[in-house]
Amino acid sequence: MATAAVSANKAELIAIADSVAKEKLIDRAIVIEAMEDAIQRAAKNRYGAEMEIRAKLDPSNGDLRLWRVVEVVEQVDDIYKQVSVADAQRLQKDAKLGDFIVDPLPPIEFGRIQAQASKQIIFQKVREAERERQYEEFKDRVGEIITGVVKRVEFGHIVVDLGRAEGVIRRDAQIPREVVRVGDRIRALILRVIRENRGPQIFLSRAHPDFMKKLFAQEVPEIYDGIITIQAAARDPGSRAKIGVISRDSSIDPVGACVGMKGSRVQAVVQEMQGEKIDIIPWSPDTATFVVNALQPANVSRVVIDEEEDRIEVVVPDDQLSLAIGRRGQNVRLASQLTGKAIDILTETDASEKRQREFAERSEMFQNELDVDETLSQLLVAEGFTSLEEVAYIETDEIASIEGFDEELAAELQSRAQEALERRDEANREERRALGVEDELATIPYMTEAMLVTLGKAGIKTLDDLADLATDELVAKKRQEPRRRNEDAPKRQEDKGGILADYGLSEEQGNEIIMAARAHWFEGEDAVAETSQ
């Protein structure tokens, strides 16, 4: 192509530029610029690389002009880039000192080597322009469904011909056990587009929940029009999926609209997803209601939400346990993904045993710490008291209002609770000092003696030790997989979280602790700044 370009007549140059631009779907001006660059480099090889040579190809008629740019100077030190005032005025009458003028050069004839070099330059420019065109075309289409043809399968990854570019469906983005062959038409979600030197990398997915959402939008007009919204989606690709839907129009049933007449709409999506079963459930802003819906077809007796731990405990009848958990924990896992919260499944029997165990443990704690009899400690637990802090710092009237209690007994219980807390603090203080934790850490905001003991056991004993931590390392909450079994279950995978994860500190409080620990790093700088002022 380029060999013809550099040796053809004017009309052929323009014809070649038009042909390349049309074939590669790139701007004609880019092809013209590539030709100019190739001619310019060939001219430098002919007249000298030291010269500032420019080439200009007229896009309308193919006229080619070559010139070199020179600076008008008093004394010429570089004959390739400078010219004297007298010589400059022969080229341009009004030239004066300091001007840059053009010195026309005669056309050049291309030999085989120059033609080949020019060909490579044009090819490179056109390839770069084509890659940029592909990136610009697909970068704004992330999240769309696109149809392509399977071009080849490499190491389990599917390469798809998208017409003007290639996309790849990585193994982990495919539907398990789906069989594809070269030449098959396939639909996929554009997951992300990355610019790379060798061209844009277009990653596709058939396993992402958004692929299912987009398929429903194509099959259900109400979703496309925004009347029905898919609020949440979760998938176990190739097996089962759940979506939570809500309607802005109270007269339209969101579940019925997604199912369609005799299941026609949902079946179209199921077929595209290789028979993946889809549970369509009504979404609710009330977390408890949504969890009950998400665990269908199991019946739920009770839902307990732990906001601090971001976990949900669901109690089901004994005969509903296996249905709620699902095969290999699938049902509860999808429900957890759908709600964005960890879910523990308990039977009525387990929940009852848990309540009895907690009741006994708390009663025993109050009995020992407050030095009261079993009946009184059980009364406190029955009224909802769970810790010494609650007894010590609650309004006296609330304790006195318990049946059989009076103000004198309430005041005595609060006094004993405060003394017990002081004993705990003193014991923790001694243990903390025995661990070698410095007293300076006790001045940090939110820090208790119990926290300092925990830090000491983790090897955090000085301000510098604490200051070196990231906030997540200090207060990140524990994360667990949803409960899959009860008695016979294997241990759940658990992320231990931050060192002080058990103390309920927020991220903001963690930041404040870390910054307070780092304050001494800047004291010297502040002193220097004050002295300099």
Side-chain angles (χ1 to χ4, degrees):
M1 177 187 68
T3 306
V6 295
S7 59
N9 60 35
K10 298 176 182 179
E12 287 176 332
L13 281 175
I14 298 304
I16 290 170
D18 290 339
S19 175
V20 172
K22 186 176 181 181
E23 179 186 348
K24 300 296 184 180
L25 298 172
I26 58 177
D27 192 348
R28 179 173 178 265
I30 293 174
V31 182
I32 295 290
E33 183 183 340
M35 288 180 166
E36 290 174 348
D37 190 38
I39 295 168
Q40 182 176 299
R41 295 195 187 188
K44 282 191 174 186
N45 290 335
R46 169 68 177 82
Y47 293 113
E50 303 86 355
M51 292 187 180
E52 288 291 334
I53 295 178
R54 300 287 183 270
K56 183 65 179 176
L57 185 63
D58 192 319
S60 59
N61 55 31
D63 282 342
L64 175 66
R65 292 188 299 120
L66 280 176
W67 69 89
R68 67 170 182 143
V69 178
V70 290
E71 182 183 6
V72 181
V73 296
E74 209 171 293
Q75 181 177 350
V76 177
D77 295 321
D78 185 346
I79 61 173
Y80 297 106
K81 297 181 181 178
Q82 297 175 337
V83 66
S84 65
V85 176
D87 291 338
Q89 289 175 345
R90 294 193 191 97
L91 298 171
Q92 187 176 312
K93 289 184 179 180
D94 58 349
K96 58 183 182 298
L97 197 66
D99 285 351
F100 286 88
I101 65 171
V102 296
D103 181 13
L105 297 174
I108 60 172
E109 292 185 5
F110 286 84
R112 182 180 61 83
I113 295 176
Q114 290 89 346
Q116 187 66 26
S118 299
K119 176 181 177 181
Q120 293 301 323
I121 292 168
I122 294 174
F123 273 164
Q124 181 182 347
K125 289 280 187 182
V126 170
R127 276 197 301 268
E128 289 174 358
E130 188 177 12
R131 290 167 182 164
E132 187 62 25
R133 189 266 307 160
Q134 290 173 347
Y135 177 75
E136 289 297 326
E137 178 180 348
F138 286 95
K139 72 179 176 68
D140 295 326
R141 297 181 63 185
V142 172
E144 290 184 14
I145 285 183
I146 194 168
T147 302
V149 177
V150 177
K151 191 171 183 180
R152 60 186 181 276
V153 179
E154 297 177 342
F155 306 106
H157 306 314
I158 302 171
V159 179
V160 182
D161 184 357
L162 303 177
R164 299 178 183 178
E166 285 185 357
V168 61
I169 308 177
R170 297 171 62 90
R171 189 178 303 172
D172 58 357
Q174 299 169 23
I175 296 175
R177 296 176 295 282
E178 181 179 23
V179 178
V180 296
R181 297 178 178 85
V182 174
D184 287 352
R185 293 186 66 79
I186 192 169
R187 284 200 286 179
L189 179 80
I190 301 177
L191 199 58
R192 62 184 184 278
V193 181
I194 301 175
R195 179 190 268 123
E196 291 190 2
N197 292 334
R198 62 186 179 185
Q201 295 294 296
I202 303 170
F203 293 98
L204 310 175
S205 176
R206 285 175 59 79
H208 198 280
D210 285 351
F211 179 60
M212 177 175 60
K213 288 183 179 181
K214 294 295 181 180
L215 289 175
F216 269 106
Q218 291 180 354
E219 298 294 335
V220 183
E222 291 87 348
I223 293 178
Y224 182 83
D225 295 336
I227 299 172
I228 293 174
T229 304
I230 299 177
Q231 292 289 102
R235 288 182 67 188
D236 190 351
S239 178
R240 192 173 177 185
K242 290 178 182 282
I243 60 169
V245 294
I246 189 171
S247 175
R248 287 168 39 192
D249 187 338
S250 58
S251 65
I252 296 177
D253 173 22
V255 175
C258 291
V259 172
M261 186 70 68
K262 296 182 179 179
S264 58
R265 291 174 174 177
V266 70
Q267 280 306 314
V269 178
V270 168
Q271 289 173 10
E272 179 62 40
M273 292 163 56
Q274 301 298 303
E276 192 171 311
K277 296 177 182 178
I278 303 173
D279 297 336
I280 304 171
I281 61 176
W283 184 85
S284 172
D286 178 62
T287 303
T289 303
F290 188 41
V291 168
V292 171
N293 294 340
L295 284 170
Q296 292 178 1
N299 296 321
V300 175
S301 303
R302 187 170 66 256
V303 176
V304 180
I305 300 174
D306 188 337
E307 297 289 354
E308 289 187 3
E309 294 294 330
D310 205 27
R311 300 184 68 80
I312 298 174
E313 185 179 280
V314 176
V315 180
V316 299
D318 289 21
D319 61 352
Q320 294 282 301
L321 177 62
S322 60
L323 190 60
I325 292 174
R327 186 165 59 93
R328 296 179 182 175
Q330 186 182 67
N331 193 53
V332 67
R333 184 171 63 252
L334 289 175
S336 179
Q337 292 174 15
L338 203 65
T339 58
K341 296 181 183 293
I343 297 176
D344 282 340
I345 305 290
L346 297 177
T347 63
E348 293 277 13
T349 302
D350 290 329
S352 176
E353 290 176 355
K354 181 182 177 183
R355 287 196 302 272
Q356 291 174 9
R357 187 170 59 253
E358 289 177 347
F359 188 91
E361 288 172 354
R362 289 168 183 167
S363 296
E364 185 179 358
M365 182 269 292
F366 283 136
Q367 195 173 344
N368 294 334
E369 297 287 354
L370 300 180
D371 191 21
V372 295
D373 60 29
E374 185 178 1
T375 302
L376 200 150
S377 65
Q378 288 178 350
L379 277 173
L380 285 173
V381 177
E383 288 295 324
F385 290 93
T386 61
S387 67
L388 287 174
E389 285 81 3
E390 291 179 2
V391 176
Y393 301 117
I394 200 170
E395 292 292 332
T396 308
D397 293 344
E398 292 197 34
I399 302 177
S401 65
I402 299 174
E403 187 176 351
F405 284 43
D406 55 27
E407 289 190 5
E408 184 180 350
L409 177 57
E412 178 62 24
L413 288 174
Q414 284 199 311
S415 175
R416 292 186 184 186
Q418 291 165 5
E419 289 174 2
L421 288 173
E422 288 174 5
R423 287 196 301 272
R424 274 190 191 176
D425 276 350
E426 185 57 36
N428 285 327
R429 188 176 296 111
E430 290 178 6
E431 185 177 0
R432 181 257 297 178
R433 287 173 176 166
L435 288 168
V437 179
E438 295 181 349
D439 289 341
E440 286 84 350
L441 269 68
T443 64
I444 299 292
Y446 310 112
M447 200 64 67
T448 65
E449 293 293 341
M451 292 180 189
L452 293 175
V453 170
T454 304
L455 288 175
K457 290 178 178 179
I460 309 302
K461 301 180 180 182
T462 67
L463 284 176
D464 285 332
D465 291 340
L466 182 58
D468 283 334
L469 295 176
T471 304
D472 284 350
E473 293 177 294
L474 186 68
V475 299
K477 292 182 179 179
K478 295 179 180 179
R479 295 199 176 275
Q480 296 177 327
E481 292 297 319
R483 184 190 295 265
R484 294 182 54 179
R485 293 286 189 275
N486 288 297
E487 301 296 336
D488 303 325
K491 281 192 174 180
R492 290 175 285 174
Q493 294 292 324
E494 180 175 321
D495 175 4
K496 293 182 178 179
I499 299 171
L500 300 182
D502 291 331
Y503 294 92
L505 293 168
S506 67
E507 186 176 347
E508 292 74 16
Q509 290 171 327
N511 286 333
E512 194 172 338
I513 289 171
I514 297 293
M515 294 310 297
R518 293 175 180 173
H520 71 286
W521 288 355
F522 308 104
E523 289 175 357
E525 296 179 9
D526 294 341
V528 171
E530 289 177 7
T531 304
S532 62
Q533 290 175 0

